[in-house]
């Protein structure tokens, strides 16, 4: 996904430039099937309002060229393969 409002960057690149705006703790239940232990995850939260560009290869003329969305990203801090959530939503 390409973000227009920040100079046509990829969405992930734009999110990487943002500071963590909120930290919180999340209780994670263990799962014996995945060999995951019960723990308290240290989470970092980022959010931004962005404009996504329609992909160049998209031929659907009914879709808008630009879509304004909010993106929220929550990542487990100090862990390479930890929790990672990204949510995109419109205002409508």
């Amino acid at each position: 996904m390409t973000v227009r409002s920040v100079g046509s960057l990829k969405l992930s690149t734009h999110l990487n430039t943002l500071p963590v705006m909120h930290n919180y703790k999340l209780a994670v239940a263990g799962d014996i099937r995945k060999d995951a232990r019960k723990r308290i995850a240290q989470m970092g939260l980022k959010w931004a309002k962005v404009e996504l560009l329609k992909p160049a290869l998209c031929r659907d003329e009914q879709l808008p060229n630009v879509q304004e969305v909010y993106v929220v990203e929550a990542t487990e801090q100090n862990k390479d393969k930890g929790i990672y959530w990204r949510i995109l939503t419109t205002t409508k």
Side-chain angles (χ1 to χ4, degrees):
M1 286 181 229
T2 304
V3 179
R4 178 176 82 166
S5 60
V6 290
S8 297
L9 294 174
K10 286 189 171 187
L11 181 59
S12 58
T13 303
H14 175 60
L15 288 169
N16 286 338
T17 66
L18 296 176
V20 172
M21 297 173 211
H22 181 71
N23 291 295
Y24 64 98
K25 294 179 183 180
L26 178 68
V28 178
D31 188 339
I32 201 165
R33 298 169 296 169
K34 297 178 183 177
D35 196 30
R37 295 181 180 200
K38 181 178 175 180
R39 69 183 191 285
I40 301 295
Q42 302 295 324
M43 302 296 294
L45 195 61
K46 300 177 181 185
W47 59 87
K49 182 179 180 180
V50 297
E51 293 177 328
L52 298 179
L53 298 177
K54 181 168 76 172
L57 297 176
C58 180
R59 305 236 189 274
D60 188 343
E61 295 188 19
Q62 303 241 344
L63 293 176
N65 290 328
V66 177
Q67 177 67 52
E68 184 176 274
V69 299
Y70 291 90
V71 59
V72 179
E73 183 179 81
T75 55
E76 188 168 358
Q77 305 296 291
N78 303 320
K79 191 164 185 178
D80 288 337
K81 294 186 178 184
I83 298 168
Y84 180 82
W85 295 321
R86 184 181 292 166
I87 300 167
L88 299 168
T89 185
T90 62
T91 57
K92 298 178 183 177

